[in-house]
Amino acid sequence: MDMQWFLDRDAFAKSLGIRLIEARPGYAKTAMDITENHRNGAGIAHGGAIFTLADLAFAVAANSHGKLSLAVAVSISYVKAGLGSTLYAEAREISLGSKMATYVVTIANDAGDVIASFQGTAYRKDVPYTRETA
């Protein structure tokens, strides 16, 4: 499924160098190479950069059904230091209703260590949202 158009419309995610690796209905995987611009004062990946990586995976997965979906509640838990050269976020759909959908996003480094867990709920508007309608 080609959801690259969704990332192309997200100037903030693109400015962080986030890439869309894979997308299919209810699922998305994103990646971000960690540079000096992504590091916090402790020298590890900044929580805001990690959150944005996870949020984009969540948004792609939620919008993959062709209906405009917007976050109404999200949370993230940082479980390990953001070390590594590349971080990955995998969003998986947990529930899909006519108006609400829930996703879990796992964020891991290139060694496969889970560094954060994100959960998001999206409100599904009754508005088509595809490459053609965006």
Side-chain angles (χ1 to χ4, degrees):
M1 162 179 265
D2 182 14
M3 289 291 290
Q4 184 62 41
W5 65 270
F6 190 88
L7 175 59
D8 292 343
R9 293 179 55 84
D10 192 321
F12 184 63
K14 284 191 336 184
S15 76
L16 291 178
I18 295 174
R19 302 181 310 280
L20 180 59
I21 304 298
E22 183 181 352
R24 59 182 184 266
Y27 174 88
K29 183 174 182 179
T30 57
M32 178 176 61
D33 296 329
I34 302 303
T35 69
E36 288 307 310
N37 292 333
H38 296 101
R39 297 189 192 285
N40 64 16
I44 60 176
H46 192 286
I50 295 168
F51 183 94
T52 303
L53 176 68
D55 187 60
L56 183 70
F58 160 58
V60 170
N63 283 279
S64 65
H65 297 289
K67 200 173 182 182
L68 180 59
S69 299
L70 302 167
V72 293
V74 297
S75 66
I76 191 165
S77 296
Y78 301 97
V79 297
K80 199 169 192 178
L83 299 173
S85 58
T86 303
L87 300 182
Y88 300 90
E90 279 190 273
R92 290 181 171 81
E93 193 169 78
I94 301 303
S95 68
L96 178 67
S98 61
K99 292 291 181 188
M100 304 291 273
T102 303
Y103 299 82
V104 171
V105 184
T106 302
I107 303 92
N109 62 19
D110 42 2
D113 300 321
V114 173
I115 63 163
S117 179
F118 173 111
Q119 182 173 335
T121 300
Y123 177 73
R124 303 181 71 224
K125 295 179 67 89
D126 195 19
V127 173
Y129 196 61
T130 63
R131 177 191 314 267
E132 294 74 30
T133 63

